[in-house]
Amino acid sequence: MSNKCEIITVSKEQIIQLQAGAKSFRQAFYVLFESMTKPDDGGIKFNDGDLMSVLGTIGCLSIELYLKFLSVILSFNDSKKEGVHIKCHSLDKLFEDIAIHYPQKANEILNDIDKFYSKTPFNFIDFLDSIKEGFIDWRYAYSKGDLHYNLNHLSSVLNALETISNDLCVPISKSLTEANLKKNNQQSMTFDDINSIECEIFPKCSEDD
């Protein structure tokens, strides 16, 4: 791994959670997009707020997690049941680190992504460079000025990385399963009444309150 960046070790159930995070943010991207483009299909509706910022944020975060997951897979140590990735949000640097340490696999990834663009010229490395700070930029879009993303490219990359990561993780899936892993990160969310969790506007307080 790179000597210029801090190295993060991801082990056992953390690897599974990392992949799950990438998948979940990808799915959330499509739920939100469909709510914007198909508001009358009976699904979830979002009609307030800056939805572009949320789309950009979760789309870029999903790509970030997929790239970190790929790095963990490629560096996986079977005896320790762990892999590593660099501590970084920049999408171009994350893939550059993969290309430096695993050039053959990086080329295979690029070739696989090209298959998704068989009819349209597309440069994955240039695309990552164009959105490299997207997770940060879209979170603070109000202060960033001009931001222009192509959602078709973003969607295709998300789908390509989902397919590629699923294929590459096959060799370590058995190893992780055999480790009899148990989630012990002490993370949880609870609710008292699932029916009361909904998007609503509270009534304005009266002057007497």
Side-chain angles (χ1 to χ4, degrees):
M1 288 288 110
S2 172
N3 293 324
K4 297 181 180 180
C5 298
E6 181 180 345
I7 303 301
I8 304 297
T9 299
V10 186
S11 62
K12 301 178 181 178
E13 71 277 356
Q14 294 175 334
I15 299 174
I16 297 172
Q17 189 174 12
L18 173 59
Q19 182 186 29
K23 289 175 175 287
S24 296
F25 281 111
R26 171 180 168 271
Q27 292 167 349
F29 173 88
Y30 289 108
V31 169
L32 179 58
F33 179 76
E34 290 184 4
S35 77
M36 293 170 58
T37 58
K38 303 174 184 178
D40 299 321
D41 66 353
I44 301 173
K45 297 179 177 62
F46 296 87
N47 54 17
D48 194 13
D50 183 2
L51 300 186
M52 280 197 308
S53 295
V54 182
L55 267 181
T57 300
I58 61 179
C60 290
L61 178 55
S62 181
I63 291 175
E64 176 184 332
L65 295 178
Y66 274 119
L67 293 175
K68 289 178 175 178
F69 180 64
L70 290 175
S71 183
V72 169
I73 293 171
L74 296 173
S75 62
F76 185 71
N77 183 313
D78 188 65
S79 63
K80 294 183 178 180
K81 300 293 186 291
E82 65 183 29
V84 298
H85 66 71
I86 59 173
K87 184 178 182 180
C88 177
H89 289 307
S90 297
L91 303 182
D92 59 334
K93 291 182 180 178
L94 287 168
F95 188 75
E96 179 184 1
D97 193 67
I98 292 174
I100 289 173
H101 294 92
Y102 313 100
Q104 181 176 347
K105 285 296 184 182
N107 285 330
E108 291 175 5
I109 290 170
L110 291 175
N111 290 334
D112 287 340
I113 290 177
D114 282 343
K115 295 176 183 177
F116 285 82
Y117 286 89
S118 59
K119 298 181 180 179
T120 306
F122 179 76
N123 188 301
F124 178 62
I125 294 177
D126 287 346
F127 177 71
L128 289 184
D129 183 66
S130 71
I131 66 167
K132 58 186 176 184
E133 300 293 341
F135 173 56
I136 297 173
D137 289 344
W138 283 108
R139 278 191 299 168
Y140 306 109
Y142 68 90
S143 66
K144 293 297 181 179
D146 292 344
L147 291 171
H148 305 286
Y149 282 24
N150 184 303
L151 289 178
N152 293 102
H153 290 329
L154 190 58
S155 173
S156 293
V157 167
L158 285 169
N159 290 329
L161 291 177
E162 165 69 4
T163 301
I164 292 167
S165 65
N166 283 339
D167 290 343
L168 288 179
C169 78
V170 170
I172 73 169
S173 297
K174 183 178 179 181
S175 180
L176 291 176
T177 302
E178 290 175 346
N180 193 24
L181 304 174
K182 294 182 179 180
K183 190 172 181 179
N184 58 6
N185 58 19
Q186 303 301 313
Q187 298 174 357
S188 67
M189 290 185 178
T190 63
F191 54 82
D192 297 318
D193 178 9
I194 191 171
N195 295 317
S196 68
I197 301 176
E198 58 184 346
C199 182
E200 61 179 331
I201 303 297
F202 287 108
K204 183 177 179 180
C205 294
S206 66
E207 294 180 357
D208 295 335
D209 291 342

